[in-house]
Coordinates of all heavy atoms in Angstrom, one line a residue:
M427 N 35.3 5.0 19.0 CA 33.9 5.0 19.3 C 33.7 5.2 20.7 O 34.2 4.6 21.6 CB 33.2 3.7 18.9 CG 33.2 3.4 17.5 SD 31.9 4.2 16.6 CE 32.3 4.0 15.0
K428 N 32.7 6.0 21.1 CA 32.3 6.4 22.5 C 30.8 6.0 22.7 O 30.1 5.8 21.9 CB 32.4 8.0 22.7 CG 33.8 8.3 22.6 CD 33.7 9.9 22.9 CE 35.1 10.6 22.8 NZ 35.2 12.0 22.9
F429 N 30.6 5.7 23.9 CA 29.4 5.5 24.5 C 28.7 6.9 25.0 O 29.6 7.7 25.3 CB 29.4 4.6 25.7 CG 29.5 3.1 25.4 CD1 30.7 2.6 24.9 CD2 28.4 2.2 25.7 CE1 30.8 1.3 24.6 CE2 28.6 0.9 25.3 CZ 29.8 0.4 24.8
Y430 N 27.5 6.9 24.9 CA 26.8 8.1 25.4 C 25.5 7.7 26.1 O 24.7 6.8 25.6 CB 26.5 9.2 24.4 CG 26.2 10.6 24.9 CD1 27.2 11.4 25.2 CD2 25.0 11.0 25.2 CE1 27.0 12.6 25.6 CE2 24.7 12.3 25.7 CZ 25.7 13.1 25.9 OH 25.5 14.4 26.4
C431 N 25.1 8.4 27.3 CA 23.8 7.9 27.9 C 22.9 9.0 28.0 O 23.1 10.1 28.3 CB 24.3 7.5 29.4 SG 22.8 7.1 30.4
L432 N 21.7 8.7 27.4 CA 20.5 9.5 27.7 C 19.6 8.9 28.8 O 19.0 7.7 28.5 CB 19.8 9.6 26.3 CG 20.5 10.3 25.2 CD1 19.7 10.3 23.9 CD2 20.9 11.7 25.6
S433 N 19.3 9.6 29.8 CA 18.6 9.0 30.9 C 17.6 10.0 31.4 O 17.7 11.2 31.2 CB 19.5 8.7 32.0 OG 18.9 8.3 33.2
D434 N 16.4 9.5 32.0 CA 15.5 10.3 32.7 C 15.8 10.5 34.2 O 15.1 11.2 34.9 CB 14.1 9.7 32.5 CG 14.0 8.5 33.1 OD1 14.8 7.6 32.7 OD2 13.1 8.1 34.0
S435 N 16.8 9.9 34.6 CA 17.1 9.8 36.0 C 18.6 10.2 36.2 O 19.5 9.6 35.7 CB 16.9 8.3 36.6 OG 17.5 8.2 37.8
R436 N 18.7 11.1 37.2 CA 20.1 11.5 37.6 C 20.9 10.5 38.2 O 22.2 10.3 37.8 CB 19.9 12.8 38.5 CG 21.2 13.3 38.9 CD 21.1 14.8 39.5 NE 22.3 15.1 40.2 CZ 23.3 15.7 39.7 NH1 23.2 15.9 38.3 NH2 24.4 16.1 40.2
D437 N 20.3 9.5 38.9 CA 21.0 8.4 39.4 C 21.5 7.5 38.4 O 22.7 7.1 38.5 CB 20.0 7.6 40.4 CG 19.5 8.3 41.5 OD1 20.2 9.3 42.0 OD2 18.6 7.9 42.0
T438 N 20.9 7.2 37.3 CA 21.3 6.4 36.2 C 22.5 7.2 35.6 O 23.4 6.5 35.2 CB 20.1 6.1 35.3 OG1 19.2 5.4 35.8 CG2 20.7 5.1 34.1
Q439 N 22.3 8.4 35.3 CA 23.4 9.3 34.6 C 24.7 9.1 35.5 O 25.8 9.0 34.9 CB 22.9 10.5 34.3 CG 23.7 11.3 33.4 CD 24.8 12.1 34.0 OE1 24.7 12.5 35.0 NE2 25.8 12.4 33.2
I440 N 24.6 9.3 36.7 CA 25.6 9.3 37.6 C 26.4 7.9 37.6 O 27.5 7.9 37.5 CB 25.3 9.8 39.1 CG1 25.0 11.2 39.0 CG2 26.5 9.5 40.0 CD1 24.4 11.7 40.2
G441 N 25.5 6.9 37.6 CA 26.1 5.6 37.6 C 26.9 5.3 36.4 O 27.9 4.7 36.3
M442 N 26.3 5.8 35.2 CA 27.1 5.6 33.9 C 28.3 6.5 33.9 O 29.4 6.0 33.4 CB 26.2 6.0 32.8 CG 25.1 5.0 32.5 SD 25.6 3.5 32.1 CE 24.1 2.5 31.8
R443 N 28.3 7.6 34.5 CA 29.4 8.5 34.5 C 30.5 7.9 35.3 O 31.7 7.9 35.0 CB 29.0 9.8 35.1 CG 30.1 10.7 34.9 CD 29.6 12.3 35.1 NE 30.6 13.3 34.9 CZ 30.6 14.5 35.3 NH1 29.6 14.9 35.9 NH2 31.6 15.2 35.1
L444 N 30.2 7.0 36.3 CA 31.2 6.4 37.1 C 31.8 5.3 36.3 O 33.0 5.0 36.6 CB 30.6 5.8 38.4 CG 30.2 6.9 39.5 CD1 29.4 6.1 40.7 CD2 31.4 7.6 40.0
A445 N 31.1 4.7 35.3 CA 31.6 3.8 34.5 C 32.4 4.4 33.3 O 32.9 3.7 32.3 CB 30.6 2.9 34.0
G446 N 32.5 5.8 33.2 CA 33.2 6.4 32.2 C 32.4 6.7 31.0 O 32.9 7.1 29.9
I447 N 31.0 6.7 31.1 CA 30.1 7.0 30.0 C 29.5 8.3 30.3 O 28.8 8.5 31.3 CB 29.0 5.9 29.8 CG1 29.7 4.6 29.5 CG2 28.1 6.3 28.7 CD1 28.7 3.5 29.6
E448 N 29.7 9.3 29.4 CA 29.2 10.7 29.6 C 27.8 10.6 29.1 O 27.3 9.7 28.5 CB 29.9 11.6 28.7 CG 31.4 11.9 29.2 CD 31.3 12.6 30.6 OE1 30.5 13.4 30.8 OE2 32.3 12.2 31.3
G449 N 26.9 11.6 29.5 CA 25.5 11.5 29.3 C 24.7 12.7 29.7 O 25.4 13.7 30.3
Q450 N 23.5 12.9 29.5 CA 22.7 13.9 30.1 C 21.3 13.3 30.5 O 20.9 12.2 30.1 CB 22.6 14.9 29.0 CG 21.9 14.5 27.7 CD 22.0 15.5 26.6 OE1 23.0 16.0 26.4 NE2 20.9 15.6 25.8
V451 N 20.6 14.1 31.4 CA 19.3 13.8 31.9 C 18.2 14.6 31.1 O 18.4 15.9 31.1 CB 19.2 14.0 33.4 CG1 17.9 13.8 33.9 CG2 20.2 13.3 34.2
L452 N 17.3 13.9 30.6 CA 16.2 14.5 29.8 C 14.9 14.2 30.3 O 14.8 13.0 30.9 CB 16.4 14.1 28.3 CG 17.7 14.4 27.6 CD1 17.9 13.7 26.4 CD2 18.0 15.8 27.5
H453 N 14.0 15.0 30.0 CA 12.5 14.7 30.5 C 11.4 14.8 29.5 O 10.3 14.3 29.6 CB 12.2 15.5 31.8 CG 13.2 15.3 32.9 ND1 13.1 14.1 33.6 CD2 14.2 16.0 33.5 CE1 14.0 14.1 34.6 NE2 14.8 15.3 34.4
E454 N 11.7 15.6 28.5 CA 10.7 16.0 27.3 C 11.0 15.3 26.1 O 12.1 15.1 25.8 CB 10.5 17.6 27.3 CG 10.2 18.2 28.5 CD 8.9 18.0 29.1 OE1 7.9 17.6 28.2 OE2 8.6 17.9 30.3
A455 N 9.9 14.9 25.3 CA 10.2 14.3 24.0 C 11.1 15.1 23.1 O 11.8 14.5 22.3 CB 8.8 14.0 23.4
E456 N 10.8 16.4 23.1 CA 11.5 17.3 22.3 C 13.0 17.4 22.6 O 13.9 17.4 21.7 CB 11.0 19.0 22.3 CG 9.6 19.0 21.8 CD 8.6 18.7 22.9 OE1 8.9 18.8 24.1 OE2 7.4 18.3 22.5
E457 N 13.3 17.3 23.9 CA 14.7 17.2 24.2 C 15.4 15.9 23.8 O 16.5 16.0 23.3 CB 14.8 17.3 25.8 CG 14.4 18.5 26.4 CD 14.4 18.5 28.0 OE1 14.0 17.3 28.5 OE2 14.8 19.4 28.6
V458 N 14.6 14.8 23.9 CA 15.3 13.6 23.4 C 15.4 13.6 21.9 O 16.4 13.1 21.4 CB 14.2 12.5 23.9 CG1 14.7 11.0 23.3 CG2 14.0 12.3 25.4
E459 N 14.4 14.0 21.1 CA 14.6 14.2 19.7 C 15.8 15.0 19.3 O 16.5 14.5 18.4 CB 13.3 14.6 19.1 CG 12.1 13.7 19.2 CD 10.8 14.4 18.8 OE1 10.7 15.5 18.4 OE2 9.8 13.7 18.9
Q460 N 15.9 16.2 20.0 CA 17.1 17.0 19.7 C 18.5 16.3 20.0 O 19.5 16.3 19.2 CB 17.0 18.3 20.4 CG 15.9 19.3 19.8 CD 15.6 20.5 20.8 OE1 16.4 20.6 21.8 NE2 14.7 21.3 20.3
A461 N 18.5 15.6 21.2 CA 19.8 15.0 21.6 C 20.1 13.9 20.6 O 21.2 13.7 20.2 CB 19.5 14.5 23.1
L462 N 19.1 13.1 20.2 CA 19.2 12.0 19.3 C 19.8 12.6 17.9 O 20.7 11.8 17.4 CB 17.9 11.1 19.1 CG 17.7 10.1 20.2 CD1 16.3 9.5 20.0 CD2 18.8 9.1 20.4
A463 N 19.3 13.4 17.5 CA 19.6 14.2 16.2 C 21.1 14.6 16.2 O 22.0 14.3 15.4 CB 18.8 15.3 15.8
K464 N 21.5 15.2 17.3 CA 22.8 15.6 17.6 C 23.8 14.5 17.6 O 24.8 14.4 17.0 CB 23.0 16.6 18.8 CG 24.4 17.1 19.1 CD 24.3 18.0 20.3 CE 25.7 18.4 20.5 NZ 25.6 19.2 21.8
L465 N 23.4 13.4 18.4 CA 24.4 12.3 18.6 C 24.6 11.5 17.4 O 25.6 10.9 17.1 CB 23.7 11.5 19.7 CG 23.9 12.1 21.2 CD1 23.0 11.2 22.1 CD2 25.3 12.2 21.6
C466 N 23.4 11.4 16.5 CA 23.5 10.6 15.4 C 24.4 11.2 14.3 O 25.1 10.6 13.5 CB 22.0 10.5 14.6 SG 21.1 9.2 15.5
D467 N 24.5 12.6 14.3 CA 25.5 13.4 13.5 C 27.0 13.4 13.9 O 27.9 13.8 13.3 CB 25.0 14.8 13.3 CG 23.7 14.8 12.5 OD1 23.5 13.9 11.7 OD2 23.0 15.9 12.7
D468 N 27.2 12.9 15.2 CA 28.6 12.8 15.7 C 29.1 11.5 15.4 O 28.8 10.4 15.9 CB 28.4 13.0 17.4 CG 29.7 13.3 18.0 OD1 30.8 12.8 17.4 OD2 29.7 13.6 19.1
D469 N 30.2 11.7 14.7 CA 31.0 10.4 14.2 C 31.7 9.7 15.3 O 32.0 8.4 15.2 CB 31.9 10.8 13.0 CG 31.3 11.3 11.9 OD1 30.1 10.8 11.7 OD2 31.9 12.1 11.1
E470 N 31.8 10.4 16.5 CA 32.6 9.6 17.6 C 31.8 8.8 18.3 O 32.1 7.9 19.2 CB 33.2 10.7 18.5 CG 34.4 11.4 17.8 CD 35.1 12.4 18.7 OE1 34.9 12.2 20.0 OE2 36.0 13.1 18.4
I471 N 30.3 9.0 18.3 CA 29.3 8.3 19.1 C 29.0 7.0 18.5 O 28.6 6.9 17.2 CB 28.1 9.1 19.4 CG1 28.5 10.3 20.2 CG2 27.0 8.2 20.4 CD1 29.0 10.2 21.5
G472 N 29.3 5.9 19.1 CA 29.1 4.5 18.5 C 27.8 3.9 19.2 O 27.2 3.1 18.5
V473 N 27.6 4.0 20.4 CA 26.6 3.5 21.2 C 25.9 4.5 22.0 O 26.6 5.2 22.8 CB 27.1 2.3 22.1 CG1 26.0 1.7 23.0 CG2 27.9 1.2 21.2
I474 N 24.5 4.5 22.0 CA 23.7 5.4 22.8 C 22.9 4.4 23.8 O 22.3 3.6 23.4 CB 22.7 6.3 22.0 CG1 23.5 7.2 21.1 CG2 21.9 7.0 23.0 CD1 22.6 7.8 20.1
V475 N 23.2 4.7 25.0 CA 22.4 3.8 26.0 C 21.3 4.8 26.5 O 21.5 5.9 27.0 CB 23.4 3.6 27.3 CG1 22.7 2.8 28.3 CG2 24.6 2.8 26.8
M476 N 20.1 4.2 26.4 CA 18.8 5.0 26.7 C 18.0 4.2 27.7 O 17.8 3.0 27.6 CB 18.1 5.3 25.5 CG 18.7 6.2 24.5 SD 17.6 6.6 23.1 CE 16.3 7.5 23.9
T477 N 17.4 4.9 28.7 CA 16.4 4.2 29.6 C 15.1 4.0 28.8 O 14.7 4.7 27.9 CB 16.2 5.1 30.8 OG1 15.8 6.5 30.5 CG2 17.5 5.3 31.7
E478 N 14.3 3.0 29.4 CA 13.1 2.8 28.9 C 12.1 3.9 28.8 O 11.3 4.0 27.7 CB 12.4 1.6 29.6 CG 13.0 0.3 29.6 CD 12.4 -0.7 30.6 OE1 11.9 -0.4 31.7 OE2 12.2 -1.8 30.2
K479 N 12.1 4.6 29.8 CA 11.1 5.7 29.8 C 11.5 6.7 28.6 O 10.5 7.3 28.0 CB 11.2 6.5 31.1 CG 10.3 7.5 31.4 CD 10.4 8.1 32.8 CE 9.2 9.2 33.0 NZ 9.4 9.7 34.3
L480 N 12.7 7.0 28.3 CA 13.0 8.0 27.2 C 12.6 7.3 25.8 O 12.2 8.0 25.0 CB 14.5 8.4 27.2 CG 14.7 9.3 28.4 CD1 16.3 9.7 28.2 CD2 14.0 10.5 28.5
I481 N 12.8 6.1 25.8 CA 12.4 5.4 24.4 C 11.0 5.4 24.3 O 10.4 5.6 23.1 CB 13.0 4.0 24.5 CG1 14.6 4.0 24.3 CG2 12.4 3.3 23.3 CD1 15.3 2.7 24.2
K482 N 10.2 5.4 25.3 CA 8.8 5.5 25.3 C 8.3 6.9 24.9 O 7.1 7.0 24.3 CB 8.1 5.0 26.6 CG 8.2 3.5 26.8 CD 7.6 3.1 28.2 CE 7.8 1.6 28.4 NZ 7.3 1.3 29.6
L483 N 9.0 7.9 25.1 CA 8.6 9.2 24.7 C 8.7 9.4 23.3 O 8.0 10.3 22.6 CB 9.6 10.4 25.3 CG 9.5 10.5 26.9 CD1 10.5 11.5 27.4 CD2 8.0 10.9 27.2
C484 N 9.6 8.8 22.5 CA 9.6 8.9 21.0 C 10.1 7.5 20.4 O 11.2 7.3 19.8 CB 10.6 10.0 20.7 SG 12.2 9.9 21.4
P485 N 9.3 6.5 20.5 CA 9.5 5.3 20.1 C 9.8 5.2 18.5 O 10.5 4.4 18.1 CB 8.3 4.4 20.5 CG 7.3 5.4 20.6 CD 7.7 6.6 21.2
D486 N 8.9 5.8 17.8 CA 9.0 5.8 16.4 C 10.4 6.2 15.9 O 11.1 5.7 15.0 CB 7.9 6.6 15.7 CG 6.5 6.0 15.8 OD1 6.5 4.8 16.1 OD2 5.5 6.8 15.9
L487 N 10.9 7.4 16.5 CA 12.1 7.8 16.1 C 13.3 6.9 16.5 O 14.2 6.6 15.7 CB 12.5 9.2 16.8 CG 13.9 9.9 16.6 CD1 14.2 10.2 15.1 CD2 14.1 11.0 17.4
V488 N 13.3 6.3 17.6 CA 14.2 5.3 18.1 C 14.0 4.0 17.2 O 15.3 3.6 16.7 CB 14.0 4.8 19.6 CG1 14.9 3.8 19.9 CG2 14.2 6.1 20.4
F489 N 13.0 3.5 16.9 CA 12.8 2.5 16.0 C 13.4 2.6 14.6 O 14.1 1.9 13.9 CB 11.3 1.9 15.9 CG 10.8 1.3 17.1 CD1 9.4 1.5 17.3 CD2 11.6 0.8 18.1 CE1 8.9 0.9 18.5 CE2 11.1 0.3 19.4 CZ 9.6 0.3 19.4
N490 N 13.1 3.8 14.1 CA 13.7 4.3 12.8 C 15.2 4.3 12.8 O 15.7 3.9 11.8 CB 13.2 5.7 12.4 CG 13.6 6.0 11.0 OD1 13.6 5.3 10.1 ND2 13.7 7.3 10.9
I491 N 15.8 4.9 13.9 CA 17.2 4.9 13.9 C 17.9 3.4 14.0 O 18.7 3.1 13.3 CB 17.7 5.7 15.1 CG1 17.4 7.1 14.9 CG2 19.2 5.4 15.3 CD1 17.5 8.0 16.2
K492 N 17.1 2.5 14.9 CA 17.6 1.1 14.9 C 17.5 0.3 13.7 O 18.4 -0.4 13.3 CB 16.8 0.5 16.1 CG 17.2 0.9 17.5 CD 16.6 0.0 18.5 CE 17.1 0.3 19.9 NZ 16.5 -0.6 20.8
L493 N 16.4 0.6 12.9 CA 16.2 -0.1 11.8 C 16.9 0.4 10.4 O 17.3 -0.4 9.6 CB 14.6 -0.2 11.4 CG 13.9 -1.1 12.4 CD1 12.4 -0.9 12.2 CD2 14.2 -2.5 12.4
N494 N 17.1 1.7 10.4 CA 17.5 2.4 9.1 C 19.1 2.7 9.3 O 19.6 3.2 8.2 CB 16.7 3.3 8.7 CG 15.3 2.8 8.4 OD1 15.1 1.7 7.7 ND2 14.3 3.5 8.8
R495 N 19.6 2.9 10.4 CA 21.0 3.4 10.5 C 21.9 2.3 11.0 O 21.6 1.6 11.9 CB 21.1 4.6 11.4 CG 20.2 5.9 10.8 CD 20.3 6.9 11.8 NE 21.7 7.4 11.9 CZ 22.2 8.6 11.4 NH1 21.3 9.4 10.9 NH2 23.4 9.1 11.6
R496 N 23.2 2.4 10.5 CA 24.2 1.4 11.0 C 24.8 1.8 12.3 O 25.4 1.1 13.1 CB 25.3 1.2 9.9 CG 24.8 0.6 8.7 CD 25.7 0.2 7.7 NE 26.5 -0.8 8.3 CZ 27.5 -1.5 7.8 NH1 27.9 -1.1 6.5 NH2 28.1 -2.4 8.5
R497 N 24.8 3.1 12.4 CA 25.4 3.7 13.7 C 24.7 5.0 14.0 O 24.3 5.8 13.2 CB 26.9 4.2 13.2 CG 27.8 4.5 14.4 CD 29.0 5.3 14.0 NE 28.7 6.3 13.0 CZ 28.2 7.6 13.4 NH1 27.8 7.8 14.5 NH2 28.1 8.5 12.4
P498 N 24.5 5.3 15.2 CA 24.8 4.6 16.5 C 24.0 3.5 16.8 O 22.7 3.5 16.5 CB 24.8 5.7 17.4 CG 23.7 6.6 17.0 CD 23.8 6.5 15.6
L499 N 24.5 2.5 17.5 CA 23.6 1.4 18.2 C 22.9 2.0 19.3 O 23.5 2.7 20.1 CB 24.5 0.3 18.5 CG 23.9 -0.9 19.3 CD1 23.0 -1.6 18.4 CD2 25.0 -1.8 19.8
I500 N 21.7 1.8 19.5 CA 20.8 2.3 20.6 C 20.5 1.1 21.5 O 20.0 0.1 21.0 CB 19.5 3.0 20.3 CG1 19.9 4.2 19.4 CG2 18.8 3.3 21.4 CD1 18.7 5.0 18.9
V501 N 20.9 1.1 22.7 CA 20.9 0.0 23.7 C 19.9 0.5 24.7 O 20.1 1.5 25.4 CB 22.2 -0.3 24.4 CG1 21.9 -1.4 25.5 CG2 23.1 -0.8 23.3
E502 N 18.8 -0.3 25.0 CA 17.7 0.0 25.9 C 18.0 -0.5 27.4 O 18.4 -1.7 27.3 CB 16.4 -0.4 25.4 CG 15.2 0.0 26.3 CD 13.9 -0.6 25.7 OE1 13.8 -1.0 24.6 OE2 12.9 -0.5 26.4
I503 N 18.0 0.2 28.3 CA 18.3 -0.3 29.7 C 17.0 0.1 30.6 O 16.4 1.1 30.3 CB 19.6 0.3 30.2 CG1 19.6 1.9 30.4 CG2 20.8 -0.2 29.4 CD1 20.7 2.4 31.2
P504 N 16.8 -0.8 31.4 CA 15.7 -0.4 32.4 C 16.2 0.6 33.4 O 17.4 0.6 33.8 CB 15.4 -1.8 33.2 CG 16.7 -2.6 32.9 CD 17.3 -2.1 31.7
D505 N 15.4 1.5 33.8 CA 15.7 2.5 34.8 C 15.2 1.9 36.1 O 14.8 0.7 36.1 CB 15.1 3.9 34.5 CG 13.6 3.8 34.2 OD1 13.0 2.8 34.6 OD2 13.0 4.9 33.9
R506 N 15.4 2.6 37.2 CA 14.9 2.2 38.4 C 13.4 1.9 38.6 O 13.0 1.2 39.5 CB 15.3 3.0 39.5 CG 14.7 4.4 39.5 CD 15.2 5.4 40.5 NE 14.5 6.7 40.3 CZ 14.8 7.7 41.1 NH1 15.5 7.5 42.1 NH2 14.1 8.8 41.0
H507 N 12.6 2.4 37.7 CA 11.2 2.3 37.7 C 10.7 1.2 36.4 O 9.6 0.9 36.4 CB 10.5 3.4 37.4 CG 10.8 4.5 38.4 ND1 10.4 4.5 39.7 CD2 11.5 5.8 38.2 CE1 11.0 5.6 40.4 NE2 11.5 6.3 39.4
G508 N 11.7 0.8 35.8 CA 11.4 -0.1 34.6 C 10.9 -1.3 34.9 O 11.2 -2.0 35.9
A509 N 10.2 -1.9 33.9 CA 9.5 -3.2 34.0 C 10.3 -4.3 33.4 O 9.9 -5.5 33.4 CB 8.1 -3.1 33.6
G510 N 11.3 -3.9 32.7 CA 12.2 -4.9 32.0 C 11.4 -5.5 30.8 O 11.6 -6.7 30.6
Q511 N 10.7 -4.8 30.0 CA 10.0 -5.3 28.8 C 10.8 -5.2 27.6 O 10.4 -5.1 26.5 CB 8.7 -4.5 28.6 CG 7.8 -4.4 29.7 CD 7.3 -5.9 30.0 OE1 7.0 -6.6 29.2 NE2 7.0 -6.1 31.2
T512 N 12.1 -5.3 27.7 CA 13.0 -5.3 26.4 C 12.8 -6.4 25.5 O 13.0 -6.2 24.4 CB 14.5 -5.3 27.0 OG1 14.7 -4.2 28.1 CG2 15.5 -5.0 25.8
G513 N 12.5 -7.5 26.0 CA 12.2 -8.7 25.1 C 11.1 -8.3 24.1 O 11.2 -8.8 22.9
D514 N 10.0 -7.7 24.6 CA 8.9 -7.3 23.7 C 9.4 -6.4 22.6 O 8.9 -6.4 21.5 CB 7.8 -6.6 24.5 CG 7.1 -7.7 25.5 OD1 7.2 -8.8 25.2 OD2 6.6 -7.2 26.4
S515 N 10.3 -5.5 22.9 CA 10.8 -4.6 21.9 C 11.7 -5.3 20.9 O 11.6 -5.0 19.6 CB 11.5 -3.4 22.5 OG 12.7 -3.8 23.2
I516 N 12.4 -6.3 21.1 CA 13.1 -7.1 20.3 C 12.3 -7.8 19.3 O 12.5 -7.8 18.1 CB 14.0 -8.1 21.0 CG1 15.3 -7.4 21.8 CG2 14.7 -9.0 20.1 CD1 16.0 -8.2 22.8
T517 N 11.2 -8.4 19.8 CA 10.1 -9.0 19.0 C 9.5 -8.0 18.0 O 9.3 -8.3 16.9 CB 9.1 -9.6 19.8 OG1 9.7 -10.6 20.8 CG2 8.1 -10.4 19.0
Q518 N 9.3 -6.8 18.5 CA 8.7 -5.7 17.5 C 9.7 -5.4 16.4 O 9.2 -5.0 15.3 CB 8.3 -4.5 18.4 CG 7.8 -3.4 17.7 CD 7.2 -2.3 18.5 OE1 7.3 -2.4 19.6 NE2 6.8 -1.2 17.9
Y519 N 11.0 -5.2 16.8 CA 12.1 -4.9 15.8 C 12.0 -5.9 14.7 O 12.0 -5.6 13.5 CB 13.3 -4.8 16.4 CG 13.6 -3.8 17.5 CD1 14.2 -4.0 18.6 CD2 13.0 -2.5 17.3 CE1 14.5 -2.9 19.5 CE2 13.0 -1.5 18.3 CZ 13.8 -1.8 19.4 OH 13.8 -0.9 20.4
I520 N 11.9 -7.3 15.1 CA 12.0 -8.2 14.2 C 10.8 -8.2 13.2 O 10.9 -8.4 12.1 CB 12.1 -9.7 14.8 CG1 13.4 -9.9 15.4 CG2 11.9 -10.9 13.8 CD1 13.5 -11.1 16.5
R521 N 9.7 -8.0 13.9 CA 8.3 -7.9 13.0 C 8.4 -6.8 12.2 O 8.0 -7.0 10.9 CB 7.2 -7.8 14.1 CG 5.9 -8.1 13.4 CD 4.7 -8.0 14.6 NE 5.1 -8.7 15.9 CZ 4.9 -8.1 17.0 NH1 4.2 -6.9 17.2 NH2 5.3 -8.8 18.1
E522 N 8.9 -5.6 12.6 CA 8.9 -4.5 11.5 C 10.0 -4.7 10.4 O 9.9 -4.2 9.4 CB 9.3 -3.2 12.4 CG 8.1 -2.7 13.2 CD 8.3 -1.4 13.9 OE1 9.3 -0.8 13.6 OE2 7.5 -1.1 14.8
A523 N 11.2 -5.2 10.8 CA 12.3 -5.4 10.0 C 12.0 -6.4 8.8 O 12.3 -6.2 7.6 CB 13.6 -5.7 10.7
I524 N 11.4 -7.5 9.2 CA 11.3 -8.5 8.2 C 9.8 -9.0 7.9 O 9.5 -9.7 7.0 CB 12.0 -9.8 8.5 CG1 11.6 -10.4 9.7 CG2 13.6 -9.6 8.5 CD1 12.3 -11.8 10.2
G525 N 9.0 -8.5 8.7 CA 7.4 -8.7 8.4 C 6.9 -9.9 8.9 O 5.9 -10.5 8.4
V526 N 7.6 -10.7 9.8 CA 7.3 -12.0 10.3 C 6.9 -11.8 11.7 O 7.6 -11.2 12.7 CB 8.4 -12.9 10.2 CG1 8.0 -14.3 10.8 CG2 8.9 -13.1 8.7
K527 N 5.8 -12.4 12.1 CA 5.3 -12.3 13.5 C 5.9 -13.7 14.2 O 5.6 -14.7 13.7 CB 3.7 -12.3 13.5 CG 3.2 -12.2 15.0 CD 1.6 -12.0 14.9 CE 1.3 -11.8 16.3 NZ -0.2 -11.6 16.3
I528 N 6.3 -13.5 15.3 CA 7.0 -14.5 16.1 C 6.4 -14.6 17.5 O 6.0 -13.6 17.9 CB 8.5 -14.5 16.1 CG1 9.2 -13.2 16.7 CG2 9.1 -14.8 14.7 CD1 10.6 -13.3 16.8

């Protein structure tokens, strides 16, 4: 299983590459959707690391993948401009998955 990084920042992509994680820099929603479709079909990709900004470009697609697919795991990371709202997205996943507001 491999990791892959989808980032909106070249700095983040370079940092991940230094850690041995390949990836690409994207800026448009269509690019993100195409990249996710390709990565979901790749049996070697186990984890996709994505910046908050890219997830905000197509949140419904990302939530759908997280809730309905076993693989790949999508991990949200803050970018250099990120506000660190990852906790809110976890609450939203729970609410959508089981229908309980916490």
Side-chain angles (χ1 to χ4, degrees):
M427 293 276 169
K428 293 182 181 179
F429 281 71
Y430 198 86
C431 176
L432 296 178
S433 174
D434 63 300
S435 165
R436 183 164 166 80
D437 295 336
T438 302
Q439 196 270 332
I440 289 172
M442 290 293 180
R443 193 165 180 198
L444 288 171
I447 300 172
E448 293 297 321
Q450 60 191 45
V451 178
L452 307 169
H453 299 288
E454 302 294 327
E456 295 86 20
E457 294 174 323
V458 176
E459 291 170 4
Q460 291 173 357
L462 283 173
K464 183 178 173 185
L465 293 169
C466 285
D467 290 338
D468 188 342
D469 291 334
E470 291 187 11
I471 302 298
V473 178
I474 300 173
V475 179
M476 291 182 69
T477 56
E478 288 176 325
K479 187 174 179 181
L480 289 186
I481 290 179
K482 288 179 183 175
L483 289 177
C484 52
D486 293 335
L487 176 60
V488 173
F489 293 153
N490 185 32
I491 292 170
K492 285 186 171 190
L493 291 173
N494 298 316
R495 294 183 65 113
R496 296 189 69 173
R497 188 199 49 75
L499 174 66
I500 296 179
V501 178
E502 180 177 354
I503 60 170
D505 57 8
R506 62 184 179 176
H507 306 292
Q511 300 297 329
T512 306
D514 293 338
S515 61
I516 292 170
T517 304
Q518 183 177 353
Y519 299 143
I520 293 170
R521 198 174 315 133
E522 288 183 13
I524 60 176
V526 175
K527 186 174 180 177
I528 55 173

